[in-house]
Amino acid sequence: MGRIVLDKLGKRFGVVEALRDLNLEIADAELIALLGPSGCGKTTTLLMLAGIYKPTSGQILFDGVAVNDLPPQDRHIGMVFQSYALYPHMTVFDNIAFPLRLLRRPVDEIQRRVLEAAALVQIEALMDRRPSQLSGGQQQRTALARALVKQPTLLLLDEPLSNLDAKLRVLMRAEIKHLQRRLGITTILVTHDQVEAMTMADRIAVLRDGLLQQVGTPDDLYYRPANTFVAGFIGSPPMNFIPAQVETTDGQVAFAAEGMRLPAAEWTAPHLARRRGGPVLVGVRPEDIRLSLVPGESAVQGRILDVEPLGRELVVAVTVGRQVVVAIAEHGFAGKPDQPVGMFVPPERIYVFDPTTESAIV
Amino acid sequence: MLLLFLGPFVLLTVLFFVMPAIITAFLALTNLDAAFQGTYVGLDNFRGLFADPLLPRVLLNTVVYVFFTLICFNTGLGLVLALLTTHIPDRVGTVFRAIWLLPRLTPMVVYGLLWLWFVDPTKYGMLNTARSWFGLAPLDLISASPWLVIVLVNGFIGASLGMVILTSAIKSVPEDYVRAARVDGASSLAIVRHVILPLIRWPLTFVLVNQTLALLTSYEYILLVTGGGPFYDTTVYALYVFRRAIQNGDYGYGAALAFILVVVGAVAALSYWRLLNFERMISAPKIEAD
């Protein structure tokens, strides 16, 4: 079992508050990602889970037992470091065997379990090499094997893919996820890469400046972001935020901004009623915008600022008044810079935020 | 350009190492005495080395002195201090190391005198004052165990270089290795043994080699504390050179003794350089001058 509860967890370094009142429950066999920009407190949280940092407030519970004062060696955890931290003076075999040797397991058991762990990550052929003789991917696998050889109840991954090239990253992402499902180990993944978090995690906890912003499934975060930070952090290119005013004409609610008027979805009307005439922040994801080069077809007219081809799709920056809106167009879109373009945004795909609190309104 | 950068150091080396070595070699072939009178005697001085009845004792003293000071203090205690001061809060560690370094900044004679007062045989010595609190009789430590005092005097000051070098070596071990080892289940002692020591092997070897050579040529504190006595009982090789040449005025024979030490030092340094592959420890220059 590996059920983890973080209860009002906090960490201070002198006057700097790295993490404040983090409440989080992690189910057994779940893969949860701690996501946020650097300095958000995600690695601090991980190191507290590992027992390397001591919390200054709150509690960490493993299966209902407080482990705040438990040293790392008694926590049954495996950890993969961003740098992999493979001992350079030991072979791959010795690196993986190290945790078992410290437990003084019999030689034949060590031999068997090291080979098993190596087989899990397919590095059986590399056992006599030193870390310096391994590629980045092989080092990553060795680090994983070392973390798994103890059969930990909790696996901690600190930016495990950030040192791999793009191609290998996609491969390892799938492999780690598959391995985690197969072994059923509760896993906490720290990352600043939203794609990594979205593709690998069952749930994601988004952190910013030591404060938890939102916890939820990848879909929750993408479709129901709690605030502008989460909305802007998840998705690439990021969501467009357009300052607008709520207007009502003939019972129809719409958002009016410079050079555009976007009708709101009908079901949102009751939520927006008391904000009539007031300012809101309208969020639109680039992938939800449809561009049209046929004149007069759409309500919103703009001018193409730039087109970035990405192969399968194009990222198109459009100026509407003084606002720049980024949209994604499908392969084959023929627009060129300086050309007029029409934009269409489905009303149900519009996000609305409070401009002062930055929280989602609907 | 090359000359401009290297020049001052080449000049220093020539002036203070190469020239004295050459002069020593020439003096070794004479019977120069206290009155600075002497003639060419060929290899007589070197032949005399084999007939010197004091030399075996001096060589044994040197081995005892170098071995115990080196292992127990200059490397051993240096390593222990480096490990301890890197495992306590950083600021406390720095203060502690700074204090431990103070004797290095103190004139040798002052440091030597401090020790003499500490082990003074009368009841007024610091050690004996402390002993009197427990009702113990005054102890003449220098006469009772001169080697202990000599090793302590040299060791306490000698440990600081190893401490400084090994501290920076330990600090350069990436923190992730230590954290990984903790997560892997290692105790602090196991981390030192399995992670830190293997990773600071080169600096440790350097300290060992450098301090062996330094101790072989050092005699200042022994001269201050025991003067090499009683008789020649605590005279090490370098002190023997000093006593024969300067105190006895036997410059020719002293030069021959010194020349042997120069050769031993040079050969040892060069073979360490080759054997331990020191070049690996030196990083390539960032810029090169033509």
Side-chain angles (χ1 to χ4, degrees):
Chain A
M1 282 293 283
R3 210 172 64 83
I4 315 294
V5 175
L6 307 182
D7 181 23
K8 294 204 187 93
L9 195 64
K11 178 71 185 171
R12 279 180 164 283
F13 296 100
V15 288
V16 182
E17 196 163 31
L19 189 73
R20 200 184 327 161
D21 284 341
L22 175 62
N23 290 305
L24 195 60
E25 284 190 30
I26 302 155
D28 184 41
E30 189 179 20
L31 198 166
I32 195 161
L34 301 180
L35 176 67
S38 52
C40 73
K42 56 191 193 299
T43 299
T44 304
T45 309
L46 200 72
L47 290 174
M48 282 196 280
L49 280 158
I52 288 162
Y53 287 167
K54 267 199 178 179
T56 31
S57 59
Q59 273 198 319
I60 301 173
L61 303 153
F62 285 11
D63 289 323
V65 181
V67 296
N68 283 30
D69 298 319
L70 217 56
Q73 59 261 40
D74 298 331
R75 291 193 182 199
H76 302 290
I77 45 172
M79 184 163 174
V80 174
F81 290 80
Q82 186 174 7
S83 62
Y84 309 138
L86 297 174
Y87 312 119
H89 54 286
M90 297 184 198
T91 61
V92 168
F93 184 94
D94 291 334
N95 263 284
I96 303 172
F98 190 58
L100 298 178
R101 290 200 173 126
L102 291 168
L103 289 170
R104 298 185 196 287
R105 309 307 304 172
V107 177
D108 51 332
E109 186 194 326
I110 291 178
Q111 179 83 16
R112 180 175 55 76
R113 283 173 66 178
V114 168
L115 291 178
E116 277 171 14
L120 278 179
V121 292
Q122 295 140 43
I123 50 165
E124 304 101 305
L126 307 170
M127 300 311 266
D128 296 326
R129 302 249 193 113
R130 301 224 172 212
S132 57
Q133 300 166 307
L134 299 177
S135 69
Q138 291 166 338
Q139 289 184 26
Q140 156 79 267
R141 287 163 192 271
T142 308
L144 257 173
R146 185 178 66 184
L148 292 171
V149 76
K150 276 188 301 183
Q151 294 161 350
T153 45
L154 175 63
L155 182 63
L156 305 174
L157 307 173
D158 186 8
E159 307 263 5
L161 306 177
S162 59
N163 287 343
L164 301 178
D165 61 61
K167 204 174 139 196
L168 203 53
R169 201 176 300 168
V170 175
L171 187 75
M172 283 310 290
R173 215 153 68 190
E175 232 175 279
I176 292 177
K177 197 165 133 182
H178 175 72
L179 200 61
Q180 190 267 341
R181 300 269 142 88
R182 209 177 108 200
L183 301 173
I185 300 177
T186 312
T187 302
I188 299 175
L189 166 80
V190 154
T191 180
H192 65 272
D193 180 354
Q194 51 102 12
V195 178
E196 208 169 295
M198 294 288 276
T199 50
M200 291 175 74
D202 298 317
R203 284 192 306 147
I204 301 170
V206 182
L207 289 162
R208 176 204 197 181
D209 298 335
L211 279 173
L212 181 65
Q213 305 291 304
Q214 188 175 3
V215 196
T217 62
D219 273 3
D220 282 339
L221 266 54
Y222 184 83
Y223 291 108
R224 291 171 290 279
N227 56 36
T228 54
F229 179 77
V230 175
F233 204 76
I234 305 278
S236 172
M239 185 185 275
N240 297 291
F241 294 107
I242 305 157
Q245 288 210 314
V246 181
E247 280 184 9
T248 322
T249 35
D250 311 332
Q252 265 267 314
V253 182
F255 305 104
E258 192 190 359
M260 65 179 107
R261 191 182 157 81
L262 301 167
E266 248 171 66
W267 63 273
T268 61
H271 299 278
L272 295 167
R274 63 186 178 84
R275 293 195 178 253
R276 202 176 335 151
V280 288
L281 213 50
V282 169
V284 182
R285 292 204 184 274
E287 52 272 42
D288 291 333
I289 300 174
R290 203 166 55 78
L291 296 177
S292 165
L293 294 171
V294 182
E297 200 192 57
S298 353
V300 181
Q301 286 298 320
R303 195 167 280 277
I304 297 177
L305 181 67
D306 190 30
V307 180
E308 291 174 13
L310 289 181
R312 191 186 45 192
E313 58 199 20
L314 303 134
V315 176
V316 185
V318 178
T319 39
V320 183
R322 272 168 301 175
Q323 179 90 30
V324 177
V325 176
V326 175
I328 287 183
E330 273 175 41
H331 177 74
F333 177 75
K336 295 272 172 290
D338 277 337
Q339 210 175 330
V341 69
M343 289 199 313
F344 176 74
V345 183
E348 71 278 5
R349 305 295 305 125
I350 291 176
Y351 300 83
V352 192
F353 302 95
D354 185 307
T356 30
T357 64
E358 299 186 342
S359 306
I361 296 169
V362 283
Chain B
M1 276 304 265
L2 193 68
L3 212 67
L4 194 70
F5 278 107
L6 274 178
F9 304 101
V10 170
L11 193 72
L12 281 176
T13 311
V14 168
L15 214 59
F16 292 105
F17 181 76
V18 179
M19 292 295 285
I22 292 170
I23 293 169
T24 305
F26 274 115
L27 287 182
L29 303 174
T30 68
N31 59 1
L32 194 71
D33 60 17
F36 287 105
Q37 305 288 317
T39 53
Y40 177 78
V41 293
L43 294 176
D44 274 1
N45 285 330
F46 291 98
R47 273 183 220 111
L49 288 172
F50 294 99
D52 188 337
L54 290 170
L55 207 52
R57 174 75 214 225
V58 167
L59 289 176
L60 183 69
N61 287 345
T62 311
V63 171
V64 169
Y65 163 70
V66 172
F67 181 80
F68 284 102
T69 314
L70 182 73
I71 299 304
C72 299
F73 287 90
N74 290 21
T75 312
L77 185 64
L79 178 63
V80 170
L81 289 173
L83 283 168
L84 286 178
T85 57
T86 46
H87 280 76
I88 54 178
D90 216 29
R91 204 174 301 177
V92 184
T94 307
V95 169
F96 185 87
R97 283 193 299 271
I99 292 173
W100 202 281
L101 263 176
L102 278 181
R104 286 236 176 230
L105 313 174
T106 315
M108 277 179 200
V109 178
V110 174
Y111 175 76
L113 282 177
L114 287 174
W115 269 97
L116 283 180
W117 291 335
F118 179 74
V119 296
D120 191 88
T122 67
K123 63 177 178 171
Y124 303 108
M126 222 167 117
L127 179 69
N128 286 335
T129 308
R131 282 173 66 90
S132 71
W133 297 335
F134 302 98
L136 295 166
L139 177 73
D140 185 357
L141 198 62
I142 291 182
S143 306
S145 24
W147 281 115
L148 177 69
V149 179
I150 286 172
V151 169
L152 285 178
V153 172
N154 280 281
F156 272 86
I157 200 164
S160 56
L161 184 76
M163 174 187 77
V164 170
I165 290 176
L166 297 176
T167 296
S168 62
I170 292 167
K171 282 187 171 174
S172 73
V173 171
E175 181 133 49
D176 272 359
Y177 289 140
V178 176
R179 288 175 172 170
R182 276 204 195 290
V183 172
D184 283 344
S187 62
S188 293
L189 224 57
I191 290 174
V192 169
R193 201 181 128 208
H194 296 294
V195 180
I196 293 179
L197 283 185
L199 290 177
I200 63 166
R201 211 178 78 209
W202 287 111
L204 199 60
T205 313
F206 170 77
V207 170
L208 208 62
V209 167
N210 171 288
Q211 293 295 294
T212 313
L213 296 176
L215 284 171
L216 266 180
T217 56
S218 73
Y219 63 89
E220 315 82 58
Y221 298 114
I222 305 179
L223 181 68
L224 285 165
V225 174
T226 67
F231 191 48
Y232 280 88
D233 284 1
T234 59
T235 297
V236 295
Y237 193 89
L239 180 57
Y240 189 55
V241 173
F242 175 83
R243 289 180 75 176
R244 289 304 292 260
I246 314 286
Q247 289 184 342
N248 300 6
D250 201 348
Y251 287 105
Y253 186 60
L257 286 166
F259 187 72
I260 299 287
L261 193 56
V262 171
V263 172
V264 167
V267 168
L270 286 176
S271 44
Y272 280 141
W273 183 274
R274 289 300 291 256
L275 276 175
L276 300 172
N277 204 356
F278 268 119
E279 264 158 297
R280 264 181 40 183
M281 289 198 275
I282 300 168
S283 52
K286 300 263 190 295
I287 51 165
E288 274 185 38
D290 287 321

